[in-house]
Amino acid sequence: MSQPILVFDSGIGGLSVLAEIRKLLPQYNYCYLFDNARLPYGELEEQELISGCVALIQQLVAKTNAAIVVVACNTASTVVLPALRAALTIPVVGVVPAIKPAAKLSKSKRIGLLATPGTVRRHYTHELISQFADDCHVELFGCSELVMMAEQKIATGELDTTSLKRILAPVVEADLDVLVLGCTHFPMIRAELQQVLGEGVSLLDSGEAIAKRVVVLLTQFEGKQIEADDRKSDVAAPKIEGYYTASKISEGLEQTLVDCGFSSIEHYTTIN
Ligand code: DGL
């Protein structure tokens, strides 16, 4: 169990995915990489996103001897997975917006995708929609401001409700019954989103599905079943190491990470 699971995002979004994986695999050690020097990813050009993520992850995998990489970021997953898989010999899991379950769940056949500007304009996303939601009217909402508001909420505990209502006004207007949270930052503010959108809109994310995929791939990679013991949390205290690329992080974020069980939090950068 010494080889950690490496979870990666531009910021706090991947914590929503980490929480789901830890529910299934509490005994594993984890590394969590925040590439917050380059946040928000939704505004980055494709090539810049790919080369930065690959270099960063490749080096951290070598440093930590990770067993698997979870790209807990929809924006990065739309473009970096092929290059990352080519650069690594361990399994890589990406995030796919929950378009397929949303289309199945929707009664009105009017669904939405709330994601970053990068994710909503990518070919990958449009393919997903034509493959799995052909029978639905799909509205796309790309918003980096919401990403930064989720960061702010985790660092300070506060979220500006007036801005949230303004950002979500087109979503309310669109009269949807299912909204896909296609950015891992958004489940971190799910309660606030739900409050503005009302209970008539179901919010779907892919955290749980990714966690299940991690269990399957680890089972194959380690050549053994994940034992019942791996799922118990009372054996030994597993480690969660945090790495961030910005020059510093706020005290509020640091405290949140400590409260989440992080055992160490340090600055990290690629060696050129
Ligand atoms: N959490 C991210 C996602 O799932 C990225 C947000 C951003 O950095 O723009 O897309």
Side-chain angles (χ1 to χ4, degrees):
M1 215 83 50
S2 56
Q3 277 187 277
I5 295 171
L6 197 163
V7 180
F8 167 77
D9 184 36
S10 57
I12 54 94
L15 296 176
S16 65
V17 177
L18 175 67
E20 294 294 339
I21 305 171
R22 286 177 71 198
K23 280 187 202 161
L24 299 185
L25 299 170
Q27 276 313 107
Y28 272 74
N29 291 324
Y30 291 87
C31 291
Y32 186 97
L33 173 57
F34 301 79
D35 187 13
N36 44 4
R38 303 197 307 147
L39 180 81
Y41 271 8
E43 304 293 325
L44 290 188
E45 287 307 322
E46 261 180 50
Q47 266 323 310
E48 196 185 349
L49 190 54
I50 296 171
S51 54
C53 290
V54 173
L56 207 56
I57 295 172
Q58 202 174 13
Q59 288 187 25
L60 196 59
V61 165
K63 176 180 158 74
T64 59
N65 190 26
I68 187 165
V69 172
V70 183
V71 179
C73 172
N74 290 268
T75 314
S77 295
T78 59
V79 287
V80 308
L81 298 178
L84 197 56
R85 289 190 172 121
L88 297 173
T89 54
I90 57 172
V92 175
V93 183
V95 194
V96 180
I99 297 286
K100 189 179 175 183
K104 275 195 184 152
L105 182 68
S106 175
K107 293 208 161 42
S108 66
K109 298 297 169 197
R110 292 182 61 83
I111 67 174
L113 171 66
L114 184 62
T116 67
T119 298
V120 301
R121 71 167 178 262
R122 298 255 151 75
H123 176 69
Y124 174 97
T125 304
H126 292 267
E127 270 292 296
L128 203 63
I129 292 169
S130 55
Q131 207 180 339
F132 297 114
D134 216 17
D135 59 339
C136 292
H137 172 80
V138 185
E139 292 271 350
L140 303 176
F141 308 95
C143 186
S144 290
E145 193 182 350
L146 208 49
V147 171
M148 301 318 280
M149 284 170 65
E151 289 281 330
Q152 177 85 0
K153 160 83 193 297
I154 297 307
T156 64
E158 279 164 29
L159 193 76
D160 175 2
T161 317
T162 312
S163 301
L164 189 62
K165 284 186 180 153
R166 170 182 49 78
I167 292 168
L168 294 179
V171 183
V172 173
E173 187 82 357
D175 190 25
L176 315 163
D177 66 348
V178 184
L179 180 68
V180 177
L181 303 183
C183 167
T184 53
H185 276 68
F186 301 159
M188 303 297 285
I189 52 168
R190 176 189 295 271
E192 291 87 348
L193 293 171
Q194 192 79 72
Q195 198 170 11
V196 175
L197 296 173
E199 295 301 323
V201 183
S202 303
L203 303 180
L204 290 191
D205 67 79
S206 8
E208 199 184 325
I210 296 155
K212 288 181 179 158
R213 183 79 190 134
V214 170
V215 172
V216 170
L217 287 177
L218 266 182
T219 304
Q220 287 167 3
F221 180 71
E222 294 180 345
K224 70 171 183 69
Q225 287 299 315
I226 304 286
E227 305 293 343
D229 265 2
D230 297 339
R231 298 173 193 253
K232 286 186 207 146
S233 55
D234 57 354
V235 186
K239 281 192 301 184
I240 309 176
E241 293 172 347
Y243 296 92
Y244 57 89
T245 59
S247 53
K248 62 180 175 55
I249 58 168
S250 69
E251 277 177 28
L253 173 56
E254 191 154 355
Q255 189 55 52
T256 303
L257 299 180
V258 171
D259 295 345
C260 286
F262 276 59
S263 39
S264 63
I265 306 158
E266 60 184 78
H267 177 255
Y268 181 73
T269 187
T270 46
I271 313 135
N272 291 308

